[in-house]
Amino acid sequence: MSVELFSLGVPILGICYGVQLSSLLLGGKVKPAQNREYGRASVKLEAPSELFAGFHLGDEIAVWMSHGDRVESLPDAFRRLGVSDNCPFAAVESLKHKFWGVQFHPEVAHTPRGNEILGNFLFRVCRCEPSWTMANFVDEAIQKVKQQVGQGRVICGLSGGVDRPWQRPWYTVRWVTG
C-alpha cells in the first residue's frame, strides 16, 4: 500500500492491520502490544462519528480482536473514537484523509453490531445507495454471460467453499447459456 492512496479523495475503511498500516504510512507509530489480543473484547466509544451512528458515547460494544501490534500514536489530523483495555486507538478517523479505522473485526459474527458499523461506512460515510440484491446480481450476471458467449461454448472452473449454493455447476452453466 502506498501513501498515495490517501490522495484519491475516496473514503477508506481500515480494519485491523489496515489501521496499523495506514497510521504508520501517515506518520503515526505502531508497536508490539504488551498483550496480544485475540478474541472477545470491549470497545468504549469516546467521540461521535458517522461510523458509529446509532451508537451512544460511552457505549461499550462487544467486538472481536485479533492483533499483536497496535497503534501507539496517531498521525496528525487523526482522532480517537474508541478505546479498549489493551488498545488505546481501537477506533479512529481522519476527515482530512477520508479515513476511518477499527482495530477489531466488524465483518465477523463475534462482533454483534459489526454489520451496523459496516452499513454506516457504506451508506453514511460513502453515501452508497442500498440498491443491490442477490437477485439483481444473478440476473445481470446471466445477461453478461449470454452477451459474451452468444451461441459459443463455456468452460466453467469452480472452487469449493463459498460457492456452496451452486452445487451443480454443470446445470447452472447449461441454464445460463441455454
Side-chain angles (χ1 to χ4, degrees):
M1 187 164 96
S2 168
V3 72
E4 294 162 347
L5 176 68
F6 300 97
S7 65
L8 296 176
V10 297
I12 299 167
L13 176 63
I15 296 174
C16 194
Y17 181 69
V19 172
Q20 297 169 16
L21 181 57
S22 298
S23 295
L24 193 60
L25 286 171
L26 293 169
K29 289 189 175 42
V30 176
K31 294 188 176 178
Q34 286 183 323
N35 300 306
R36 294 179 61 88
E37 208 166 20
Y38 180 79
R40 190 168 301 277
S42 181
V43 170
K44 182 176 182 179
L45 298 179
E46 296 185 333
S49 170
E50 287 294 306
L51 191 62
F52 294 103
F55 295 75
H56 298 96
L57 292 183
D59 277 358
E60 299 238 356
I61 58 172
V63 300
W64 190 261
M65 294 276 198
S66 177
H67 64 99
D69 296 328
R70 68 182 192 186
V71 176
E72 287 290 321
S73 66
L74 291 175
D76 290 341
F78 272 60
R79 71 183 186 120
R80 177 168 68 187
L81 303 175
V83 61
S84 75
D85 288 341
N86 193 44
C87 189
F89 304 105
V92 300
E93 77 176 5
S94 171
L95 299 179
K96 175 183 175 184
H97 298 290
K98 293 189 134 191
F99 179 83
W100 291 258
V102 292
Q103 182 61 63
F104 57 88
H105 290 272
E107 76 280 11
V108 300
H110 302 305
T111 300
R113 295 183 74 184
N115 283 341
E116 199 173 339
I117 295 165
L118 294 172
N120 284 340
F121 180 73
L122 291 172
F123 306 123
R124 289 179 171 271
V125 173
C126 298
R127 306 276 188 240
C128 293
E129 292 293 325
S131 60
W132 187 91
T133 66
M134 190 60 179
N136 288 349
F137 171 76
V138 170
D139 291 342
E140 289 175 21
I142 288 170
Q143 290 307 313
K144 285 180 183 177
V145 169
K146 284 183 176 182
Q147 287 173 351
Q148 187 173 0
V149 173
Q151 297 299 315
R153 297 181 65 148
V154 174
I155 295 174
C156 178
L158 200 59
S159 69
V162 297
D163 49 29
R164 189 175 176 93
W166 303 89
Q167 290 185 358
R168 293 184 284 176
W170 172 254
Y171 298 113
T172 303
V173 171
R174 298 249 322 143
W175 173 64
V176 170
T177 61

